[in-house]
Amino acid sequence: EIVLTQSPGTLSLSPGERATLSCRASQSVGGSYLAWYQQKPGQAPRLLIYGASNRATGIPDRFSASESGTDFTLTISRLEAEDFAVYYCLRYGGSPTFGGGTKVEIK
Amino acid sequence: QIQLQQSGPGLVKPSQTLSLTCAISGDTVSSNSAAWNWIRQSPSRGLEWLGRTYYRSKWYTDYAVSISSRITIYPDTSKNQFSLQLNSVTPDDTAMYYCARDRWLSHFDLWGRGTLVTVSS
């Protein structure tokens, strides 16, 4: 079973700053089968990125993502007020697995 | 507009069966490209995929190994919906339960709003 480890657990930043979130897989994910989600309180997760680096429909270009082997990164270039939330990575295909999440909070 | 509408009780007694339904609008449960999933979220377990059902000339179901002995997911084509049954629940099954769609066994692109289920006597 693939385990996804997200870091840091919490990221304290100010609006306008750059956020870099990490998701490390315990073994090869294979085929870039990795997605990123944003979740706000009281809401279901919202798809941001799929295929490791493809933005979902309607996602602003300040969100970008990349992969390097078993390391995946979500970058928010300039944080806006609505970006403060919890972010999860998901490995899909086979038996889907979520990471534990990174909370991006206002500093 | 494609939507998933969840329904079911928010309180279940220990040892009983948790039953939830997800009604689909704007797509069909028997689509050859979609799969219909149940996912739950709790502070102790985080986000946990439970299982899915999908149609590819015949019906298939996949379940998470950790829960496979207690779970059933099944479609209802006459009502264009799918359902979750989880048997022998304990307080550890207390969670927000979501239904979700994926396309081609890929990422989850559409989610229901969630149902908070509490297991308590």
Side-chain angles (χ1 to χ4, degrees), chain A residues 37 39 47 50 88 92 94 96, chain B residues 41 49 52 98 106-108 112:
Chain A
Y37 292 82
Q39 188 177 34
L47 177 66
Y50 64 93
Y88 295 96
Y92 52 87
Chain B
Q41 184 174 29
W49 175 78
R52 63 188 162 217
Y98 294 100
S106 179
H107 53 277
F108 309 117

Side-chain angles (χ1 to χ4, degrees), chain A residues 32-99:
Chain A
S32 300
Y33 291 156
L34 191 108
W36 288 92
Y37 292 82
Q38 176 194 71
Q39 188 177 34
K40 296 180 180 179
Q43 297 183 14
R46 172 196 180 198
L47 177 66
L48 299 175
I49 301 287
Y50 64 93
S53 60
N54 301 291
R55 273 190 302 276
T57 303
I59 302 303
D61 60 7
R62 64 180 182 273
F63 291 91
S64 64
S66 62
E67 67 173 304
S68 176
T70 56
D71 291 332
F72 298 84
T73 302
L74 175 70
T75 301
I76 311 171
S77 59
R78 294 173 308 280
L79 282 165
E80 298 195 4
E82 63 264 31
D83 299 336
F84 292 93
V86 182
Y87 293 82
Y88 295 96
C89 55
L90 162 73
R91 178 259 181 186
Y92 52 87
S95 186
T97 306
F98 290 89

